[in-house]
């Protein structure tokens, strides 16, 4: 039996076996994608940068005209309950808040509707040093998503299709391009290294303000690595010395081929090596019961 089969999920205040956890057919998250989510890694069972994730959840909810249905301590208690099922292990917690279910299917937001909240955890596969050292392949694709990608909404069909195309082309991630500007991956933020400068596109409605991205910027600042938040054009991406993608599940991953051509010398670069060491040290501090920066 897989470990996940025995785990309990959280649904609206109850902990239930995962295969019995459900929301109604008329849930607006299902019918309209009217819902937001977070994915929070927990290293050694301890949630990573949880305040940042909950702050972003608040911003996503406010942007879709919802209030957070749970107080911070209730979220914290839920994360403790879920992660205690995989004691001391590296895992991720997925949470979703939907606008709720309403018996009549219509787009107008009902005046009276109660959010559905659910969450579950799963093991995070151990990152093998060999895989990290190998890096990944990426392709570039036109960004066909909406103009509020700063909201962590569950309406991810454009991301799913871009990722499918990447897979078809033998790549692990698609880097999305809008009006000649490189924005982010289908499920990750983007960094390039150009002449020793670390660059990530600035915050905007066109990309998700990633929690991992913010940590990388903090680590760069504290580690004396020159960095900038600046627009990146396709030509700059093509000529970058290094390309990285970052996310809560991918950490800081080097892209070693772009559209079938090597990035730099075709293996993870020197700055990636430095940043990865800083990032791993941060995780380790958390595992040992300390803090990673301000969280
Ligand atoms: N996705 N951009 C997009 C479009 C994402 O979906 C994600 C993360 C990120 C990175 O954000 P963070 O560092 O906060 O994880 C950027 C999660 C992991 C997912 O959907 O599974």
């Amino acid at each position: 039996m897989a470990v996940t089969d025995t785990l309990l999920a959280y649904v609206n205040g109850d902990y239930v076996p995962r295969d019995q956890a459900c929301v109604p057919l008329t849930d607006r998250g299902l019918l309209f994608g009217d819902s937001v989510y977070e994915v929070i890694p927990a290293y050694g069972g301890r949630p990573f940068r949880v305040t940042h994730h909950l702050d972003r959840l608040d911003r996503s909810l406010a942007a879709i005209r919802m209030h957070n249905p749970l107080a911070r301590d209730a979220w914290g208690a839920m994360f403790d309950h879920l992660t205690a099922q995989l004691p001391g292990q590296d895992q991720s917690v997925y949470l979703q808040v939907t606008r709720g279910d309403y018996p009549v299917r219509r787009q107008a937001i009902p005046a009276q509707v109660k959010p559905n909240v659910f969450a579950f955890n799963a093991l995070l596969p151990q990152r093998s040093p060999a895989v990290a050292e190998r890096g990944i392949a990426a392709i570039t694709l036109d960004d066909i998503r909406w103009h509020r990608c700063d909201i962590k909404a569950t309406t991810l069909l454009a991301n799913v299709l871009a990722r499918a195309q990447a897979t078809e082309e033998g790549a692990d991630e698609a880097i999305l391009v809008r009006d000649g500007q490189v924005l982010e991956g289908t499920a990750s933020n983007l960094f390039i290294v150009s002449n020793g400068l670390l660059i990530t596109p600035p915050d905007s409605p066109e990309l998700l303000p990633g929690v991992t991205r913010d940590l990388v910027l903090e680590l760069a600042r504290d580690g004396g690595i020159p960095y900038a938040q600046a627009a990146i054009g396709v030509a700059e991406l093509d000529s970058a010395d290094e390309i990285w993608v970052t996310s809560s599940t991918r950490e800081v991953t080097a892209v070693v081929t772009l559209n079938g051509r090597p990035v730099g010398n075709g293996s993870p670069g020197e700055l990636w090596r430095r940043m990865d060491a800083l990032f791993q040290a941060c995780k380790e501090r958390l595992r040992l019961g300390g803090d990673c920066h301000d969280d």
Side-chain angles (χ1 to χ4, degrees):
M1 195 193 313
V3 176
T4 46
D5 293 345
T6 59
L7 293 179
L8 301 180
Y10 171 97
V11 185
N12 294 328
D14 294 325
Y15 292 91
V16 292
R18 264 172 82 133
D19 58 358
Q20 288 162 38
C22 54
V23 292
L25 191 67
T26 45
D27 181 89
R28 290 178 59 98
L30 276 175
L31 297 183
F32 301 119
D34 191 357
S35 59
V36 296
Y37 76 109
E38 281 294 327
V39 178
I40 306 173
Y43 298 115
R46 305 189 62 218
F48 192 59
R49 307 279 284 186
V50 71
T51 311
H52 298 257
H53 284 279
L54 289 175
D55 286 348
R56 184 172 63 191
L57 176 66
D58 282 342
R59 292 197 301 274
S60 295
L61 285 166
I64 68 162
R65 302 160 184 251
M66 285 182 71
H67 297 293
N68 195 327
L70 297 183
R72 287 275 160 126
D73 55 354
W75 284 112
M78 179 209 295
F79 299 153
D80 289 347
H81 199 115
L82 290 173
T83 54
Q85 300 181 96
L86 296 168
Q89 308 227 49
D90 288 357
Q91 51 195 288
S92 64
V93 175
Y94 176 90
L95 68 88
Q96 187 170 333
V97 180
T98 84
R99 194 170 311 271
D101 80 283
Y102 196 72
V104 185
R105 183 193 173 278
R106 62 168 173 250
Q107 290 183 2
I109 296 174
Q112 296 291 328
V113 63
K114 201 169 141 299
N116 280 319
V117 180
F118 58 90
F120 53 86
N121 60 325
L123 281 174
L124 263 180
Q126 284 297 317
R127 192 182 84 138
S128 93
V131 169
E133 283 294 325
R134 211 179 299 143
I136 62 166
I139 58 169
T140 49
L141 284 181
D142 272 349
D143 192 354
I144 60 164
R145 300 173 304 163
W146 70 332
H147 291 282
R148 287 306 307 271
C149 295
D150 55 321
I151 303 172
K152 200 160 173 59
T154 59
T155 25
L156 291 169
L157 193 50
N159 307 55
V160 167
L161 293 177
R163 182 61 187 269
Q165 190 167 339
T167 304
E168 258 167 34
E169 297 185 23
D172 307 284
E173 180 59 303
I175 295 171
L176 304 172
V177 181
R178 193 190 287 266
D179 300 329
Q181 300 297 304
V182 181
L183 296 170
E184 62 176 344
T186 66
S188 57
N189 288 113
L190 176 85
F191 286 83
I192 65 166
V193 177
S194 181
N195 298 319
L197 182 67
L198 179 63
I199 312 172
T200 193
D203 287 336
S204 84
E206 315 289 357
L207 61 89
L208 188 76
V211 172
T212 320
R213 167 179 173 265
D214 282 351
L215 175 58
V216 165
L217 292 173
E218 286 172 32
L219 292 173
R221 182 194 63 208
D222 297 352
I225 297 171
Y227 68 93
Q229 294 186 49
I232 301 173
V234 173
E236 274 174 281
L237 181 74
D238 282 340
S239 62
D241 303 317
E242 299 186 28
I243 301 176
W244 312 342
V245 291
T246 64
S247 82
S248 294
T249 47
R250 280 200 149 133
E251 305 182 358
V252 185
T253 298
V255 173
V256 293
T257 66
L258 181 69
N259 297 322
R261 289 192 303 276
V263 177
N265 66 4
S267 54
E270 273 318 302
L271 209 55
W272 173 81
R273 222 166 283 285
R274 241 173 103 189
M275 180 55 71
D276 187 54
L278 292 170
F279 192 90
Q280 297 307 320
C282 212
K283 274 171 61 181
E284 207 45 42
R285 280 201 298 280
L286 188 78
R287 273 207 195 94
L288 297 174
D291 286 337
C292 178
H293 275 249
D294 56 345
D295 214 322

